[in-house]
Amino acid sequence: MSENVVPLHKTPPPPTTPPPTLAPVPAAPALPLWVRSGRKVRQVVTHEHTRTAGRLAVRHSMYVFGGTRIVSKRVWESRTTSRYERMQRTAEAAGNLDLASEWEERAQRFREARHRRRMDLLTAPVDAAKGVLITTGMSIGALVALGVVLAIANKDVGDVLTPLMAVIQLIRWLVVIVTVVWGPLLTVGPLLALLALWGVGRHQQAAPQWALPERLRTGEGEPITPSIVVKALKDLGVAPLRTAIKEMGDAGASMLGPIRIAGCGVEVDVTLPSGVSTVDVQTRRRKLAENLSRHEHEVFVTIPQAARTVRLWIADSGALDEPIGPSPLMTDETLGADYTKGKAPWGQDLRGDAATLSVFQRHLLITGLSNQGKTASLRSLALWLALDRSVQFWIADLKGVGDWGMYDGIATVLIQGPTDQHVMQATEMLEEGVAEMERRIQAPPGTTFAPLILIVDEAQVAFMCPAVGDDKRPYGGTRATSRYFNAARKIHNQGRAVDVLLWQGTQDPTDQNLPKLVREGAHTRISLVLGSESQSRMALGDKAVDGGAAPHLLRQGLDKGTVVIASDGITIPAGQASLTVRTHYISTDDAAVIADRARALRSGVTTAQVTEPAEQRDPLADIATVVGTAARMLTQDVIKALAALDSKAYGKWTFLDLKRVLDGTGAEPYKSDGRMSVSRDRITRALANRNGGTGSASGAA
């Protein structure tokens, strides 16, 4: 059995594999010493402290060299005719031959005077010797005479030489002092000369641009100097201008007039050389501003009266972003208004002077993009005028958000709302203004009337209104049949003479929402920021834009309340066609306070507020009703009967209103027995024709 037992053997363990031996990573080869040293040198050289020290050394060294060059040039010009020749070349380049001849004569006189001085130098030594001998002899004689006087006074013969000996001692001490000082002076003198040259170079910034301090390199706060203006013009990209400046002996300085302080900036007139147009400078306003280290809105280019001249107004950096302060209407509760002789305190011009505007017998138009301060600017003028109790207001606010709500109790008519019905009411308000204007015109000569101001804010809503009346005449539009357009034109044509004025505010002008005849009928044209030059021309006219007016270059959202105005009612510098004004902002709450003062000056003005559409009537049907069964009726009786039928709708009707309704219907008034009458049959026929053509007799008054 034991033989059959198979002995059990343990399975030998698998052989263990020794872990792999990793080869040692070779160490990075050490960089050569010259490479490591080069890197350190580069770090040191490019360090900001090293660069600052280098700029400092170069800057002050160049101040000395530049000062030497400037002083040498000044000395050379003082001893030669180079200055006269340079000015002569400048005058010739500018085409001013008379001035060139004058400088040539001055140079000739300088040469003659210099020749005389040189000829005098030939005899100068002999003359000097004679002068010294004569002066010495006279001085010794005077001293001896003084000594004689002292000897007589003191009864001492020795005093005769006392004055002479005193002078000799003085001379000896002067020699001693000079001997002592001369050595140090020889040492310090060159240093003082270098310091003086350094001062001249530093004042003229005679160093490379990259070596100047950071403030001067960036131009931040850099004052405007003649050299900066000339360099800005030279780098403007106008080849004839650049060439002319190079040819001028004075490097273009003669082009500039005096640089004057003007409000929060400076103003300078630049006479352009022949061959350079003012348009070349106007159209490069942005580049000119950048050359002057300013933003585009901080440089204004206008055209003064002088030929071939541009006027540059350059603001101090950031000055136009500062507020101008509250309106005098808010700070002075005693301030009044005078429609005839007064001027509204409206804001400040760019020179910092108060900008006041006369509104006497002037139609007004103000336009601009939305939400740029148009309503506030227009309302501030109306608030000032409201302080004159004689002025009447009819107001149509076609925005209808309450911007004019404070005129309740001041305005006789106040329409507030943006719908077509409100446009109809605003149109009828203007037509009533036309009727009032015609009534005043027909009054006896010498009759005086209270000023009537018709204000339509958001007038573009009226021009774009699609509503059409029963007489087939549209309320909006720009055609000859447009009721609003025609009423505005009639007031523009004759309203000024009888103090019936139209003030309109509109936004984003186009030929569709601001017709040419309407915008050109305004005496005072005002624009806030606009989107294009073509819109600026619509708002202000070609003359103002060609003269430098550029509301399209104002900054939307940043220049709120800044307007460009073209009007004879505001003081504009001679030669300019427009003025840029930063208007005072009066909030709605502050406007309500000012309106309370105006309301207190007026006795019980009842405002006809129209915020909901009025009841519509059919004038033609009402005329047929009042005529009744009579064969005909006098027009005066028809008007009275209509007023009795509905005094609100027809209470102010005149013959012109009646004629306007009947014109084109075939039932026009005619003369019967020498008096204007209306025929019943014609009215009936007109109603039948209209109802047959439209299918209904409902219309709008």
Side-chain angles (χ1 to χ4, degrees), residues 5-46:
V5 175
V6 179
L8 297 177
H9 299 284
K10 293 182 179 180
T11 305
T16 57
T17 304
T21 304
L22 297 178
V25 178
L31 293 176
L33 179 61
W34 63 271
V35 174
R36 296 197 303 271
S37 300
R39 288 182 176 179
K40 291 182 179 180
V41 170
R42 181 181 179 183
Q43 292 176 354
V44 172
V45 171
T46 59

Side-chain angles (χ1 to χ4, degrees), residues 343-628:
K343 289 190 173 184
W346 202 30
Q348 292 181 3
D349 62 16
L350 296 179
R351 295 167 181 81
D353 299 328
T356 56
L357 177 64
S358 171
V359 298
F360 175 64
Q361 292 189 341
R362 291 178 177 88
H363 301 300
L364 184 146
L365 171 67
I366 182 170
T367 185
L369 298 181
S370 177
N371 194 31
Q372 298 303 308
K374 170 179 55 62
T375 297
S377 300
L378 178 61
R379 188 177 61 191
S380 65
L381 293 175
L383 285 170
W384 172 80
L385 193 56
L387 297 176
D388 184 343
R389 59 185 300 174
S390 67
V391 179
Q392 301 178 16
F393 291 93
W394 295 0
I395 300 175
D397 175 16
L398 298 183
K399 184 188 296 181
V401 296
D403 289 337
W404 295 87
M406 71 288 299
Y407 271 79
D408 185 10
I410 299 176
T412 308
V413 177
L414 181 58
I415 300 170
Q416 300 183 89
T419 67
D420 290 347
Q421 296 297 333
H422 293 98
V423 172
M424 295 177 187
Q425 295 153 10
T427 303
E428 292 167 359
M429 181 188 78
L430 258 64
E431 291 173 341
E432 291 180 9
V434 172
E436 173 65 16
M437 175 190 71
E438 293 173 342
R439 182 184 71 82
R440 295 184 179 191
I441 292 174
Q442 296 171 3
T447 306
T448 58
F449 302 98
L452 174 59
I453 310 297
L454 294 94
I455 300 176
V456 181
D457 195 10
E458 305 297 340
Q460 77 279 356
V461 177
F463 285 110
M464 301 301 290
C465 178
V468 179
D470 283 341
D471 56 358
K472 303 300 182 182
R473 296 179 61 202
Y475 284 89
T478 60
R479 297 183 178 179
T481 56
S482 168
R483 292 176 61 178
Y484 183 91
F485 172 77
N486 275 285
R489 286 295 301 142
K490 289 179 180 178
I491 295 175
H492 279 168
N493 288 339
Q494 296 178 302
R496 182 194 66 82
V498 290
D499 291 318
V500 176
L501 304 179
L502 176 60
W503 292 5
Q504 296 182 97
T506 181
Q507 64 177 255
D508 201 11
T510 64
D511 285 328
Q512 288 71 39
N513 63 25
L514 188 59
K516 178 180 176 64
L517 292 178
V518 171
R519 61 183 184 247
E520 292 188 350
H523 303 97
T524 297
R525 300 172 71 171
I526 307 166
S527 176
L528 294 101
V529 57
L530 289 172
S532 65
E533 181 179 335
S534 62
Q535 287 186 318
S536 298
R537 293 184 181 277
M538 291 181 188
L540 300 176
D542 291 337
K543 180 180 179 181
V545 175
D546 291 338
H552 55 285
L553 295 181
L554 296 174
R555 301 168 297 168
Q556 184 174 359
L558 298 177
D559 289 326
K560 286 187 177 182
T562 299
V563 303
V564 182
I565 177 172
S567 172
D568 61 351
I570 195 169
T571 302
I572 297 178
Q576 294 184 204
S578 63
L579 186 70
T580 301
V581 176
R582 304 170 68 197
T583 60
H584 296 294
Y585 174 69
I586 302 177
S587 66
T588 302
D589 293 338
D590 293 329
V593 175
I594 299 171
D596 289 339
R597 288 161 42 198
R599 194 176 297 108
L601 299 174
R602 300 167 185 264
S603 55
V605 174
T606 302
T607 300
Q609 290 219 35
V610 185
T611 56
E612 297 296 334
E615 180 184 356
Q616 299 181 7
R617 300 199 64 92
D618 185 346
L620 191 59
D622 288 343
I623 292 172
T625 300
V626 299
V627 171

